[in-house]
Amino acid sequence: MSAQKDRWVSSFSFLLFCVSSIPTRGSARLLQELSPQEYFGSLQAGRASLAYFSHNVSPGAQPFLEQIENSAEALQDYGISVVKVICPKEDVSRYCGKENALRKAYLFRGNMLIREFPTDALFDVNSIVANVFALLFNEVKYVETLADLQNIENALKGRSNMVFAYVPAIGTAEHRAVMEAAFVYGTVHQFVLTTEATLLKDTGYPDVSSARLLFCHCQRATDLAQPCRRTAMGQALTMLNIHKHLKLMGAPLVTEVAEDPEKVSTVHLQLGLPLVFILSQKETYEADRRTAEFVAWQLLGKAGVALLSRYALRCFGVFGVPIKYLVLEDTDEVITLVEDKSKVEQIQEDEEEEEEEEEDEDEKENNNQVSRDKKRELPLEQILVLTEETFHSALLETARMVVLFYASWEAVSLAVLRSYTEVADHLKGTRGVLLSRVNCWDWPGVCTEENVTQFPTIKIYEKGERSVMYNGMWGTEELTSFIMLSRVPCPLKLATIDEAEGYLRGEFPSELSSYHHTSLLGVFSTATSEAFLLARSGGQSVEGITLSKQNTQDMVQMIRYELLDIFPEITVQNLPRYLQLRKPFLIVFSDGDIGQIESKEMLKLTKGRPQQEFVACWLNLKKTPVGRGVLKAYFATMPSLPVLIWVNFHAGGQVFKFPSEQSITELNILSWLEKLKAGLEVPSSKCTRVCNVPKHTLLALVCL
């Protein structure tokens, strides 16, 4: 099958699931009520319709009619109309004249009758949709014996894969899910259905109490004598679970990785499943590859497997913390580790602490907001949708384009998408700004090509220039500022002193006046070779940096430092700027505004110490309640406030607590810091940021 069909299947299947999950309230409006003449006059060639003929609805037929009405919305989405035909009393035609004819429903394609159903065979929406699909579409083959199933398998070997489903009865929700999946994936895989419990037992699955789906890997089997491998779906047979299972079956059996594991993104991680990294080296590559494939077959549908170069692993580290991995004796331990979650908790050396049972109110509100965002339809009309076919041509046709790379299944992506729509509304009509989006769930090739390794990611593309990636906060104001500031030429040439002064004040050019930003001004002399750099952000400024005596990296570091407050209040918004300094934090946690005495002593500590070795700051727990969660992670019990903490996120993550019996003064702090340097203080805890790989990732070393 073509890649284009695969992409269509991937995107359309989620649409089908969403459609089938919509409540049926209001579906009655889709049920047409026509006279026999109107109905037969409206039939179109190739168009399917389900009709029920009636004089007056008897009490016995009322439940059936309700189910017909409820099915109208589901069938309408597949182009099948549902019609109630009102028969006049004097009508004695084939469909209106006989009493038994009025107890049936009729399926037409154009004006040709395909099938008539007794009303008791269409007992609910699931049975109606499943039976209609079974007659209109030929994607599903029905089998009764093992020989029938094997004949289909043999015909498919080396050509295509097969999806084999067992349902205990026709017309159930599971039957409907299989038929809808076949409508979506029928051009990619051969679907086979049975209701014979004996056949399921003959395939090696004795439990016939519930519906079951097997993916048969016939495309890999080129020998007629070789049976097709089968991978059972472990979840309930629903449309969404079938979609996930087929996604996993279509993923590479083993992914070879030569980059930081933190940056690896596979369909398994996207679906919340583990990803097992098996370490390899050049000398044993072939054996390692065979081992990885063996493990992958055993874990297929439960976890992904990646083959990771040992050399690459030695190159990676996160904040100076080496990646932790488990040394396992054989492949069985890897498989058991994934399948037995309780064993994972026992084996993992640095298990993440379980979340607190009692969430802060702000966390609850955030979770509720994400949940609401999932259900709420976003106004995306002003954002251009890009696909694999349109991405590169759109970049060539547009001078400057903003692109959001996101995943439609992921909570953070949904939240950012909401901010992005607000930005689009705010910038509506602004010249030179075009906002677009790429759903990496549907178009993973585009995201891989653009080196998008995490969701969400925003990049700005300017014709003839390298793309610029956004690294700031995801709020509407911050995104808008970034996009608008990107429109200003860089570097911007200034011709007069007035323009230079206006630029430093943030008033020139006009695009800068409404947005907070840092201004850098280079002053060059035509008479001499001297050049200076001036920088300003808010009330802070740096002047007189001699360009010829500084390298670029040192200048950037110095400017960043000088433009920051010397004793800032840490918030969610400004924390990334201070983390970029990669220095230890000396932070006062306060229940409200910091006290005057503590503030005065901390300012004395920081003033007069240019380029100091740490970031002195404070955090207001009332304004930034996430700080309480930080303290709970650091200490077994909540310490009394205010509390002074030393933590180095970039070198081991050890946490030291200033002695509570001492007052927070400059001299006491300096004395305590000297003890820290000398190694005389014992850490209170450790900031556990173990290798920072994706949440569900496992790292395993298989010893051969």
Side-chain angles (χ1 to χ4, degrees):
M1 293 298 158
S2 67
Q4 186 174 4
K5 280 187 177 178
D6 288 341
R7 291 192 297 272
W8 179 85
V9 165
S10 173
S11 59
F12 191 61
S13 55
F14 252 154
L15 173 62
L16 286 182
F17 170 72
C18 294
V19 167
S20 63
S21 301
I22 298 174
T24 57
R25 182 176 58 186
S27 60
R29 294 194 300 272
L30 297 176
L31 180 69
Q32 303 176 59
E33 295 188 3
L34 303 174
S35 68
Q37 294 77 13
E38 290 173 331
Y39 172 63
F40 287 109
S42 66
L43 296 179
Q44 301 175 16
R47 181 72 184 269
S49 62
L50 181 66
Y52 173 66
F53 293 80
S54 171
H55 286 298
N56 294 312
V57 179
S58 64
Q62 185 63 39
F64 165 73
L65 187 58
E66 290 177 358
Q67 296 304 321
I68 283 285
E69 291 176 350
N70 291 338
S71 70
E73 185 170 8
L75 293 175
Q76 178 75 21
D77 290 306
Y78 298 104
I80 305 168
S81 58
V82 180
V83 182
K84 182 171 74 172
V85 182
I86 309 298
C87 294
K89 291 182 179 181
E90 64 277 6
D91 194 333
V92 292
S93 63
R94 174 183 176 183
Y95 301 104
C96 289
K98 297 180 181 180
E99 184 63 29
N100 63 341
L102 298 175
R103 296 174 183 170
K104 298 179 180 179
Y106 300 87
L107 180 63
F108 289 87
R109 179 181 278 128
N111 59 6
M112 180 184 300
L113 177 63
I114 303 296
R115 177 75 176 271
E116 57 185 49
F117 299 98
T119 55
D120 56 0
L122 306 179
F123 47 85
D124 63 7
V125 174
N126 292 322
S127 64
I128 294 171
V129 174
N131 279 292
V132 168
F133 269 52
L135 291 170
L136 289 179
F137 308 115
N138 300 318
E139 282 82 4
V140 180
K141 294 184 178 181
Y142 185 83
V143 294
E144 294 182 344
T145 67
L146 184 60
D148 293 338
L149 182 65
Q150 289 173 340
N151 288 337
I152 296 175
E153 279 193 346
N154 289 335
L156 293 174
K157 285 178 180 177
R159 295 174 45 244
S160 182
N161 296 315
M162 182 177 75
V163 179
F164 173 55
Y166 160 76
V167 294
I170 294 296
T172 59
E174 293 84 359
H175 182 207
R176 174 185 174 180
V178 172
M179 301 307 297
E180 288 187 314
F183 177 81
V184 177
Y185 293 96
T187 56
V188 182
H189 310 300
Q190 175 63 61
F191 277 71
V192 177
L193 179 71
T194 189
T195 56
E196 301 296 327
T198 303
L199 176 54
L200 182 64
K201 291 179 181 179
D202 290 342
T203 60
Y205 295 89
D207 183 8
V208 295
S209 59
S210 59
R212 183 173 286 274
L213 184 138
L214 308 175
F215 187 89
C216 305
H217 305 266
C218 297
Q219 195 170 18
R220 292 175 176 265
T222 55
D223 185 355
L224 286 178
Q226 178 187 8
C228 299
R229 282 179 177 266
R230 294 169 181 161
T231 303
M233 186 176 77
Q235 293 75 36
L237 211 161
T238 66
M239 179 60 194
L240 179 59
N241 286 338
I242 295 174
H243 169 78
K244 290 181 178 179
H245 192 66
L246 297 184
K247 268 284 190 183
L248 292 171
M249 297 304 101
L253 184 63
V254 174
T255 303
E256 297 201 9
V257 178
E259 58 178 326
D260 188 342
E262 183 189 7
K263 298 179 179 179
V264 174
S265 177
T266 69
V267 66
H268 307 87
L269 294 177
Q270 295 165 5
L271 293 176
L273 296 177
L275 180 62
V276 179
F277 287 86
I278 295 179
L279 306 189
S280 176
Q281 55 190 3
K282 292 181 180 179
E283 295 78 6
T284 60
Y285 170 79
E286 294 298 331
D288 295 338
R289 175 78 193 189
R290 289 194 297 271
T291 300
E293 290 179 353
F294 173 80
V295 173
W297 278 116
Q298 302 303 310
L299 296 177
L300 194 58
K302 304 172 185 176
V305 175
L307 198 60
L308 176 64
S309 165
R310 290 173 185 260
Y311 173 77
L313 183 63
R314 288 198 296 269
C315 300
F316 303 137
V318 182
F319 296 132
V321 181
I323 291 177
K324 311 277 185 190
Y325 58 87
L326 305 173
V327 179
L328 304 177
E329 297 299 327
D330 54 37
T331 55
D332 288 341
E333 287 197 32
V334 180
I335 296 165
T336 303
L337 184 67
V338 174
E339 293 181 338
D340 188 350
K341 292 184 179 179
S342 62
K343 191 167 184 178
V344 174
E345 295 175 356
Q346 296 170 13
I347 293 180
Q348 274 189 292
E349 187 177 359
D350 291 287
E351 175 191 4
E352 292 184 1
E353 293 184 6
E354 293 183 3
E355 295 182 0
E356 296 288 337
E357 292 185 6
E358 296 181 1
E359 289 180 307
D360 290 327
E361 290 301 321
D362 279 20
E363 292 175 359
K364 289 182 180 179
E365 176 59 30
N366 288 339
N367 292 338
N368 291 338
Q369 181 64 42
V370 170
S371 178
R372 289 194 296 268
D373 286 348
K374 286 182 179 179
K375 300 174 184 176
R376 191 182 305 157
E377 189 172 333
L378 296 175
L380 301 172
E381 300 83 8
Q382 300 177 56
I383 302 174
L384 178 66
V385 178
L386 298 180
T387 67
E388 193 170 273
E389 288 78 13
T390 62
F391 182 81
H392 294 289
S393 59
L395 295 186
L396 293 174
E397 295 168 1
T398 309
R400 181 181 293 104
M401 180 176 289
V402 186
V403 183
L404 168 65
F405 299 91
Y406 71 103
S408 55
W409 50 266
E410 197 252 347
V412 178
S413 287
L414 292 177
V416 172
L417 191 57
R418 174 160 296 279
S419 296
Y420 200 58
T421 58
E422 293 172 356
V423 172
D425 185 64
H426 183 72
L427 298 181
K428 183 178 180 181
T430 304
R431 293 182 58 188
V433 175
L434 179 60
L435 271 63
S436 61
R437 58 189 172 98
V438 175
N439 186 349
C440 294
W441 176 263
D442 295 332
W443 310 104
V446 176
C447 301
T448 301
E449 185 178 338
E450 295 304 310
N451 198 28
V452 175
T453 57
Q454 61 184 11
F455 308 124
T457 293
I458 288 181
K459 292 187 176 185
I460 292 184
Y461 294 83
E462 191 167 354
K463 191 178 292 185
E465 301 289 340
R466 293 172 57 186
S467 63
V468 178
M469 187 167 72
Y470 177 64
N471 292 312
M473 303 298 292
W474 292 116
T476 303
E477 183 178 344
E478 291 83 1
L479 287 172
T480 303
S481 177
F482 171 70
I483 292 170
M484 293 303 293
L485 293 177
S486 70
R487 300 172 64 210
V488 179
C490 184
L492 178 67
K493 294 183 179 180
L494 305 177
T496 66
I497 294 177
D498 289 340
E499 286 183 352
E501 291 178 346
Y503 172 76
L504 286 177
R505 290 194 301 268
E507 300 169 357
F508 179 84
S510 59
E511 292 95 329
L512 301 178
S513 59
S514 302
Y515 304 99
H516 175 79
H517 61 281
T518 298
S519 299
L520 297 178
L521 177 65
V523 181
F524 302 88
S525 172
T526 56
T528 67
S529 60
E530 291 185 348
F532 296 92
L533 187 69
L534 295 87
R536 183 166 298 170
S537 178
Q540 301 293 110
S541 62
V542 183
E543 299 183 5
I545 304 170
T546 305
L547 292 178
S548 59
K549 296 182 180 180
Q550 301 279 354
N551 63 49
T552 303
Q553 188 173 0
D554 290 342
M555 281 192 298
V556 170
Q557 186 73 6
M558 184 182 72
I559 291 168
R560 279 180 174 171
Y561 182 82
E562 292 293 340
L563 292 179
L564 294 174
D565 293 332
I566 60 172
F567 182 53
E569 176 187 354
I570 292 296
T571 63
V572 174
Q573 288 73 25
N574 67 15
L575 178 60
R577 295 201 294 271
Y578 292 93
L579 284 175
Q580 286 178 349
L581 298 176
R582 303 189 64 81
K583 294 182 178 182
F585 274 48
L586 182 64
I587 180 169
V588 179
F589 289 84
S590 176
D591 190 18
D593 289 335
I594 189 171
Q596 291 185 356
I597 296 176
E598 290 84 0
S599 177
K600 180 180 178 182
E601 294 297 325
M602 292 295 290
L603 284 171
K604 286 167 59 179
L605 179 71
T606 55
K607 285 182 177 178
R609 290 180 175 83
Q611 297 292 334
Q612 63 187 19
E613 299 176 355
F614 56 86
V615 176
C617 54
W618 68 285
L619 190 145
N620 186 337
L621 294 178
K622 289 185 176 178
K623 290 173 61 177
T624 312
V626 70
R628 295 188 183 276
V630 173
L631 290 177
K632 289 178 183 178
Y634 287 171
F635 306 104
T637 58
M638 190 73 173
S640 58
L641 301 175
V643 60
L644 180 63
I645 302 294
W646 172 279
V647 59
N648 191 346
F649 301 108
H650 314 288
Q654 290 183 327
V655 178
F656 295 88
K657 177 176 171 290
F658 183 75
S660 56
E661 66 275 9
Q662 295 185 27
S663 57
I664 298 177
T665 66
E666 179 187 12
L667 293 178
N668 287 341
I669 296 172
L670 288 174
S671 175
W672 179 60
L673 293 179
E674 289 298 324
K675 293 180 181 179
L676 289 183
K677 291 180 181 180
L680 302 177
E681 290 288 322
V682 178
S684 302
S685 64
K686 185 176 181 180
C687 177
T688 55
R689 299 188 58 159
V690 180
C691 77
N692 212 25
V693 293
K695 181 178 180 181
H696 301 282
T697 300
L698 285 172
L699 281 172
L701 171 61
V702 177
C703 301
L704 300 176

